[in-house]
Amino acid sequence: GLRQYEENARLLTHVDRENTHAASLIVNVAQENVEEPWPVEIFDHADRLHEVTMEPGDIIYYESAKCLHSRNKPLKGASAYYVNLFTHYRPVGDPQWFDKPNLEGTPEPLMDVGECRLEGTVDQVGVGAVKCDNSAIGPYLSPTLFKATSGDDLFDWWKRVGPDIAQDADNSEANVSKCSGDDESCTFEGTDEL
């Protein structure tokens, strides 16, 4: 379905339901008044953060039931909005697909990429600012080189990239994440899922 996110929106880190989501795709349909990239944050099988930027027409495929994903950074821009189309897939007739080993010939997850180094600046998200010994890692490895190995790490990341709560204390609208559509993961800061 289509979902529209608005100024200050954030999407907390989660995985999707195993019984309906083996792989998902996001199509960025439109975005307006966006002041800085609003990356999809996807943690790979080795806990590395990838920050994938999108332009209208771009498509991202990811393992949504296995890989943590989010948009913890607030969507910035006066009257900004960001519209995505989401579709989800799982093996037909096999609701327990996630309990089974991969088929023979399936590539192994990319775990060891050797040493990675920042060759750009930490604010260069989605442009290949990080180079690793194994280039198969792709251009979206976060220039922060952040890894999440615990819930505490995820909470620290959420706090680190979130809005300045003290600065926004007088503006309650600034602390509320906004989204529309059928995404049960859309949240308001400080509350449970909608």
Side-chain angles (χ1 to χ4, degrees), residues 101-169:
N102 286 334
L103 297 174
E104 186 175 327
T106 301
E108 290 296 317
L110 186 59
M111 302 300 283
D112 182 13
V113 295
E115 185 179 328
C116 297
R117 61 212 153 273
L118 180 63
E119 292 191 353
T121 62
V122 75
D123 62 339
Q124 290 181 298
V125 175
V127 295
V130 175
K131 302 295 183 207
C132 298
D133 294 342
N134 182 342
S135 63
I137 194 71
Y140 296 106
L141 193 61
S142 174
T144 64
L145 299 174
F146 182 76
K147 289 181 81 171
T149 58
S150 72
D152 288 338
D153 291 342
L154 292 172
F155 185 63
D156 289 344
W157 178 254
W158 177 79
K159 290 188 303 185
R160 177 176 161 188
V161 299
D164 183 353
I165 301 300
Q167 177 182 341
D168 294 332

Side-chain angles (χ1 to χ4, degrees), residues 67-110:
C67 295
L68 290 165
H69 53 281
S70 57
R71 290 183 190 258
N72 281 297
K73 297 176 181 178
L75 176 59
K76 293 185 180 179
S79 300
Y81 67 87
Y82 203 97
V83 181
N84 287 331
L85 172 68
F86 292 84
T87 62
H88 310 286
Y89 304 90
R90 72 165 173 85
V92 175
D94 191 5
Q96 298 300 311
W97 64 269
F98 52 88
D99 286 333
K100 298 177 181 170
N102 286 334
L103 297 174
E104 186 175 327
T106 301
E108 290 296 317
L110 186 59

Side-chain angles (χ1 to χ4, degrees), residues 16 18 24 34 40 50-51 70-71 85 90-91 106 114 123 140 148 151 175 182-183 191:
D16 293 333
E18 294 168 334
S24 295
V34 177
V40 178
H50 298 255
E51 295 182 280
S70 57
R71 290 183 190 258
L85 172 68
R90 72 165 173 85
T106 301
D123 62 339
Y140 296 106
N175 291 324
D182 62 357
D183 185 359
T191 65

